[in-house]
Each structure stands twice: as structure tokens, then as C-alpha cells.
Amino acid sequence: MKLKLVAAGVLLAFGLGAQAAPLIIKYSHVVADVTPKGQAALKFKELAEKKLPGKVEIQVFPNSQLFGDGKEMEALLLGDVQILAPSLAKFGKYTKQIQIFDLPFLFNDIQAVDRFQGSKEGLGLLNSMESKGIKGFGFLHNGMKQLSANVPLGSPTDAKGLKFRIQASDVLEAQFKAVGGNPQKLAFAEVYQALQTGVVDGTENPWSNIYSKKFHEVQKYIMDSNHGVLDYMVIGNAKWWAGLPPDIQKGLSEAMTESIKFGNKVAFDEDMAFRQKVIAENKAKVLPMSKEHLTAWRTAMKPVWSKFEGDIGKDLIDSALKANK
Ligand code: LMR
């Protein structure tokens, strides 16, 4: 009897009855849950756990809770987090080509960005960091950026002498320098306070980020400038990915593809709704930009293209321009 009990115990612990603990996968990002990226991350959790019941547990950390800008890439390479979706502006240290997305006035709208990302040349960029240990799963939209400040930025000369918060991108640095601004690289988590306390005078971000982080409460004017794009690449630690069993890889891949599709739909469908919410709160004035003003901004910022053409490649810029039609 005693022997039987011991045998049953051994079986339970090591054999039939024992369920292996699920594989914990951490997905960290810096924005709010309501944004396209926040929604895509939560969708990934829902789908992956449904497709691989009991096998994986996805832990999503929004709002720079686990890692903020600056730390998150290092954490991914060290294996402290498995999935991230940094803005395309934040890969400059790992690949020069992806800087293409920061060129001002390159894309007419988010549909053009979408066409370029889906082209052979665009898709090629997903593999551009594999030698650095970074696997690209796919592009994810947020939206076109809008300029904001405490003065209306109608003409590019209005930006002269103003301090602008930028993401960690040399192209964005050159963009604001081209209009006489004083750009400062700051982590996303620091932007609200920097605007509130006057450390910087202005910034640029898509509507979902402006609204969810309340930038409109600490900026007097937001321009409908659509002068550039803020999108993401969802990435993983390449070594970690390669070591996963095939069934887990398959389930995660499917969940990833579907979650990106879902996030992109949120981006397309809700961008204008976030703009409307900003307008409805009536804290910052949202100002249209005339064709003449936009042309003046485009002309002032255009030299940035040639400055980075050598790094990015003229062919790649040409294929991006083709996506505008
Ligand atoms: C920013 O730093 O402004 C953005 O990259 C934040 C984000 O992830 O959308």
C-alpha cells in the first residue's frame, strides 16, 4: 500500500499528471493600453494563450512599467524581456536603413507608409538587424505625427529657437535643426513633465499618444502637420526565438501576425477619433495648416534627406516615394 502511494506520488510529480509550467514571455512597451500598440500587445496575449493553452503565459507591461526607452533594447538582448515594439525612430544604433521612416515629408499619408512596409524593400528591413540578435516580426502602425508647441507653428520660422523633445533619432535631430529649433532626445516617459515644466517647448507625436499621455494639457497648440510617421517594428530576441520548440513558434507566429493586423486596424480606425477627443477637451487648440505653410515646412526640412541619403540608400528612398501613388 505504502509503495503504491509512493509510486502514485512519483507519477504525479514527474509523469502523466504533471503539467509543465507555461513558458513566460514578457512583452514590454512604453505607451498606454488604448493606443494601437497597447491594443496589439493585449491581442497578442489573448491569441497566443488561446492557441497554446497552458504552454505559454504572455505578460504585457505597458507605460514603460518594466523598461523604458534606453533600457529596453539592452534588456531584450540580455534576455530580460522577449518582445518589444520600439518606434522605428529608435533603431538607429542597430541599422542605418530604418532611419528612412524618420525622413520628414517622405510619405503622403499612413496608407503610403503601409504600402512601402508591405513592399519587397520594406519587408527586407525586418531582417536587417538579425546579425545584431534582433528578429523583426512585423511593422505596426501608430500614425502620422503632429507638431505641437505653446505658440502656433504655422510657418517654419515659428520654430526658431524653440526646444523640441525628440525620440532618440539623428534624423529627427536634423529635422528640427533644419528649422532653427533646439532638439533634445528624451525618453517617452519623460515627455509630459518636460513639456509641463518648460524643459522643452514643443514636440511631435501621433494623436493616440498625444491624447493618452495628455500632451494636449501641457501644449497650447497642435498643428495638423502630418509631417512624418511614427510606426513600430515588433521584435524579439533572435536567439530566444530560434530555440523555441516548433509548435510554440508556430502558435506565436500566428498570434503575432493576427495581433499586428488588429493593431493596424485600430491605428487606421481610431486615429481621427483620438484627434476628436483632443479637440473635445478643448485644452490645446488644434490648428489646420495651409498648403503654403506645409510647402514652406517641406522646403525647410528637405535638406535632411540628402544628409542621410548615404546611410539609408537612394534606392530605398526611391522605393518609398513610389508608395505615395
Ligand atoms: C515616442 O517616444 O514618442 C514614441 O516612440 C512612443 C511610442 O512608442 O509610441
Side-chain angles (χ1 to χ4, degrees):
M1 180 68 189
K2 208 170 169 193
L3 210 69
K4 261 192 194 160
L5 268 179
V6 171
V10 169
L11 261 182
L12 260 181
F14 298 106
L16 299 170
Q19 265 279 355
L23 176 71
I24 308 271
I25 299 172
K26 294 182 182 165
Y27 187 153
S28 165
H29 66 82
V30 300
V31 294
D33 282 337
V34 294
T35 61
K37 180 160 65 181
Q39 293 284 304
L42 291 172
K43 185 55 96 180
F44 176 72
K45 173 180 170 63
E46 177 197 321
L47 294 172
E49 290 178 355
K50 196 147 99 196
K51 284 173 195 291
L52 298 163
K55 293 190 174 173
V56 297
E57 181 188 330
I58 314 296
Q59 299 180 347
V60 177
F61 300 91
N63 297 312
S64 312
Q65 263 166 24
L66 187 63
F67 297 107
D69 294 329
K71 286 272 159 61
E72 62 175 17
M73 291 295 279
E74 205 181 305
L76 183 88
L77 294 172
L78 287 172
D80 292 338
V81 59
Q82 286 70 46
I83 301 176
L84 300 173
S87 140
L88 297 170
K90 294 173 185 171
F91 290 111
K93 253 168 109 183
Y94 304 91
T95 159
K96 293 290 168 214
Q97 283 185 309
I98 290 181
Q99 295 185 120
I100 188 168
F101 291 102
D102 288 344
L103 292 180
F105 295 99
L106 179 66
F107 297 105
N108 289 347
D109 48 33
I110 197 72
Q111 282 78 14
V113 178
D114 192 69
R115 284 191 289 272
F116 173 63
Q117 289 175 352
S119 71
K120 192 170 116 261
E121 293 80 6
L123 289 170
L125 295 173
L126 293 176
N127 309 323
S128 63
M129 296 180 285
E130 271 187 3
S131 66
K132 309 267 162 57
I134 298 166
K135 177 177 173 56
F137 291 114
F139 292 107
L140 172 66
H141 295 308
N142 185 335
M144 301 305 281
K145 292 179 292 185
Q146 318 302 336
L147 288 165
S148 66
N150 289 323
V151 293
L153 297 171
S155 148
T157 53
D158 296 330
K160 222 173 166 173
L162 296 188
K163 288 173 276 172
F164 287 94
R165 178 269 169 170
I166 53 164
Q167 305 174 77
S169 152
D170 293 347
V171 178
L172 299 179
E173 187 169 51
Q175 168 191 277
F176 280 109
K177 280 190 174 160
V179 293
N182 179 4
Q184 303 195 10
K185 293 177 180 173
L186 283 179
F188 187 61
E190 292 166 33
V191 180
Y192 181 89
Q193 209 185 358
L195 291 169
Q196 190 185 36
T197 56
V199 166
V200 289
D201 305 301
T203 188
E204 53 170 11
N205 240 292
W207 291 112
S208 63
N209 282 355
I210 294 173
Y211 180 74
S212 59
K213 291 295 174 193
K214 305 186 191 304
F215 297 160
H216 59 296
E217 294 183 2
V218 285
Q219 292 278 264
K220 290 206 173 85
Y221 299 95
I222 306 172
M223 313 304 295
D224 267 318
S225 57
N226 296 298
H227 60 286
V229 65
L230 197 160
D231 270 7
Y232 310 106
M233 191 191 288
V234 189
I235 57 169
N237 179 311
K239 219 164 142 193
W240 163 77
W241 179 257
L244 290 176
D247 64 320
I248 304 254
Q249 260 196 14
K250 181 170 176 287
L252 293 180
S253 274
E254 289 170 7
M256 186 54 81
T257 306
E258 289 168 43
S259 68
I260 287 178
K261 240 194 207 154
F262 180 81
N264 284 344
K265 189 166 159 33
V266 173
F268 281 123
D269 293 354
E270 294 181 20
D271 192 43
M272 284 302 101
F274 280 113
R275 177 178 176 276
Q276 241 1 83
K277 285 181 182 172
V278 170
I279 293 172
E281 288 198 4
N282 202 22
K283 291 190 170 125
K285 269 207 167 62
V286 175
L287 298 178
M289 286 183 88
S290 67
K291 261 203 174 122
E292 291 70 31
H293 277 150
L294 281 171
T295 305
W297 277 90
R298 181 178 289 121
T299 309
M301 289 178 162
K302 190 71 194 283
V304 176
W305 290 27
S306 44
K307 189 166 189 277
F308 289 90
E309 192 182 276
D311 276 349
I312 294 168
K314 186 167 180 337
D315 288 354
L316 197 62
I317 297 178
D318 286 344
S319 19
L321 286 171
K322 274 193 212 129
N324 278 330
K325 307 183 207 83

